Amino acid sequence: MKISNELKVGLTIIVAITIFIFGVRYFEDLPLFRTTYDLTAEFDNAGGLIPGNLVRVNGVSVGSVNGVSISEKTGKVEVKFHVDRKISVTEGSYATVSGIDALGAVRMDLFLGPRDAALIPEGGLVGTGEGNDLFGDLSARAPEMVQKFDDVLSGLDKVLSETGTMLSEPESDFRTTLGSVKGSVAQLERLLKEERARISIILQNVEDATGSIKTITSDNGPAVTKLVSDLSVTIASLDRELVSLGEASRSLNELLTKVNEGQGTLGMLVNDPSMYQKMDSTLNGINALLADFRVNPGKYLGQMKLVDIF
């Protein structure tokens, strides 16, 4: 059976179209044999979105953009796109435009609504949200950033100018300070050179002392341990004695406070001069009586009977 050229051409065209369709679906990460359904979203700014850009859900490609145009009714950017039918785009879902417009890496991210909500019908409208464009944000803030950068450069130029002025004036505080620092560094350098030998001796002595301590510690480890233990016991005993001394000091302070306030016999004697005078007078009388008794004992014993005495 002979196949005509027209049939060959027709079959070739059909095969090419089939390969093209499957190729497009393959590169768009769409199922080769499952159907998709179309949806629409309206944006205030398309952000560089063009037909063929990917539609992603949670970072996974699920469809692509069919067309981008200005809506005659609303004046907004109308984006038509299709997604895999196994993706449930429910009420409450919304789309955003993301990526870097300057690099042409723009995509549409689709955020799905609650699973138990109603599905958006074929060709239905999906809500939109604010996307992010790094270069766009930088471009919008460029004037402000340039102004701040200009202010920084102006401040730096002023600082450099003032520094140059201070360096050029011989009598400026900055030149004086630099001269003082230079002189101090020179003196320190001379001192280090002059005392280099002595510093070496000191460091050697420190090293020898450290070595001696290490040797003593290693050779007399048990004795050093016992000494440290006894010292700890002594310190603990000293702490207890200090506590007791503190309590005795508080008791003495309380006693002195009472004496100063005139409490008790000693307090009255210390704070009442009349008590002292009376006691002094009484003691003087007793001393006079004892002195007279020593001189004339018969004067006092003559009138007493032996029975009374004993």
Side-chain angles (χ1 to χ4, degrees), residues 138-149:
L138 291 177
S139 299
R141 299 184 58 185
E144 180 183 356
M145 296 175 64
V146 170
Q147 181 63 38
K148 290 183 178 181
F149 187 67

Side-chain angles (χ1 to χ4, degrees), residues 27-97:
F27 286 111
E28 290 181 356
D29 290 334
L30 294 175
L32 298 180
F33 301 102
R34 284 202 306 269
T35 59
T36 60
Y37 73 103
D38 296 332
L39 295 168
T40 304
E42 291 185 348
F43 295 94
D44 293 330
N45 188 341
L49 198 67
I50 59 175
N53 287 145
L54 296 177
V55 177
R56 304 198 312 179
V57 174
N58 298 331
V60 179
S61 298
V62 297
S64 63
V65 175
N66 294 335
V68 180
S69 60
I70 301 296
S71 174
E72 296 180 357
K73 295 181 180 180
T74 61
K76 294 185 176 182
V77 179
E78 185 180 69
V79 178
K80 295 183 180 296
F81 63 98
H82 59 270
V83 296
D84 189 352
R85 283 195 176 275
K86 71 177 182 179
I87 303 300
S88 299
V89 184
T90 59
E91 296 289 345
S93 301
Y94 65 95
T96 62
V97 177

Side-chain angles (χ1 to χ4, degrees), residues 246-299:
E247 294 177 353
S249 177
R250 286 193 295 271
S251 300
L252 181 60
N253 288 335
E254 293 177 358
L255 178 61
L256 292 177
T257 301
K258 291 181 180 180
V259 170
N260 289 331
E261 293 176 353
Q263 300 180 15
T265 303
L266 183 60
M268 295 178 65
L269 288 175
V270 172
N271 294 279
D272 190 357
S274 62
M275 289 288 294
Y276 170 77
Q277 293 174 359
K278 291 177 182 179
M279 183 175 288
D280 185 65
S281 176
T282 301
L283 291 176
N284 289 332
I286 292 174
N287 288 331
L289 179 62
L290 291 175
D292 188 46
F293 180 79
R294 292 191 189 96
V295 175
N296 301 307
K299 178 180 177 180

Side-chain angles (χ1 to χ4, degrees), residues 5-262:
N5 292 333
E6 291 81 1
L7 183 57
K8 292 179 180 179
V9 173
L11 291 174
T12 303
I13 293 174
I14 293 173
V15 172
I17 293 174
T18 303
I19 293 174
F20 175 76
I21 293 174
F22 280 108
V24 170
R25 295 179 69 86
Y26 173 78
F27 286 111
E28 290 181 356
D29 290 334
L30 294 175
L32 298 180
F33 301 102
R34 284 202 306 269
T35 59
T36 60
Y37 73 103
D38 296 332
L39 295 168
T40 304
E42 291 185 348
F43 295 94
D44 293 330
N45 188 341
L49 198 67
I50 59 175
N53 287 145
L54 296 177
V55 177
R56 304 198 312 179
V57 174
N58 298 331
V60 179
S61 298
V62 297
S64 63
V65 175
N66 294 335
V68 180
S69 60
I70 301 296
S71 174
E72 296 180 357
K73 295 181 180 180
T74 61
K76 294 185 176 182
V77 179
E78 185 180 69
V79 178
K80 295 183 180 296
F81 63 98
H82 59 270
V83 296
D84 189 352
R85 283 195 176 275
K86 71 177 182 179
I87 303 300
S88 299
V89 184
T90 59
E91 296 289 345
S93 301
Y94 65 95
T96 62
V97 177
S98 305
I100 302 175
D101 184 15
L103 300 180
V106 182
R107 65 181 182 274
M108 190 169 74
D109 289 322
L110 184 63
F111 298 89
L112 302 179
R115 288 182 175 273
D116 55 353
L119 291 175
I120 297 177
E122 180 86 17
L125 186 65
V126 178
T128 57
E130 292 293 332
N132 57 350
D133 182 0
L134 178 62
F135 285 178
D137 294 340
L138 291 177
S139 299
R141 299 184 58 185
E144 180 183 356
M145 296 175 64
V146 170
Q147 181 63 38
K148 290 183 178 181
F149 187 67
D150 184 65
D151 294 340
V152 171
L153 290 179
S154 298
L156 181 61
D157 183 67
K158 183 178 180 181
V159 171
L160 292 176
S161 177
E162 292 178 354
T163 303
T165 302
M166 288 188 293
L167 288 174
S168 61
E169 294 179 358
E171 302 299 328
S172 66
D173 295 337
F174 190 63
R175 288 284 295 272
T176 304
T177 303
L178 289 178
S180 300
V181 172
K182 184 178 180 180
S184 300
V185 171
Q187 291 179 2
L188 180 61
E189 186 177 0
R190 285 197 304 271
L191 178 63
L192 291 176
K193 288 182 179 179
E194 294 172 358
E195 302 295 334
R196 181 178 299 172
R198 184 177 298 178
I199 293 173
S200 300
I201 295 172
I202 292 173
L203 292 177
Q204 184 63 41
N205 292 335
V206 171
E207 185 177 357
D208 294 341
T210 304
S212 300
I213 293 173
K214 184 177 180 180
T215 303
I216 293 172
T217 304
S218 59
D219 294 342
N220 302 278
V224 173
T225 303
K226 187 176 184 303
L227 178 62
V228 173
S229 177
D230 294 342
L231 183 61
S232 300
V233 174
T234 303
I235 292 174
S237 177
L238 181 61
D239 289 338
R240 290 193 296 271
E241 295 298 331
L242 289 176
V243 172
S244 300
L245 181 61
E247 294 177 353
S249 177
R250 286 193 295 271
S251 300
L252 181 60
N253 288 335
E254 293 177 358
L255 178 61
L256 292 177
T257 301
K258 291 181 180 180
V259 170
N260 289 331
E261 293 176 353

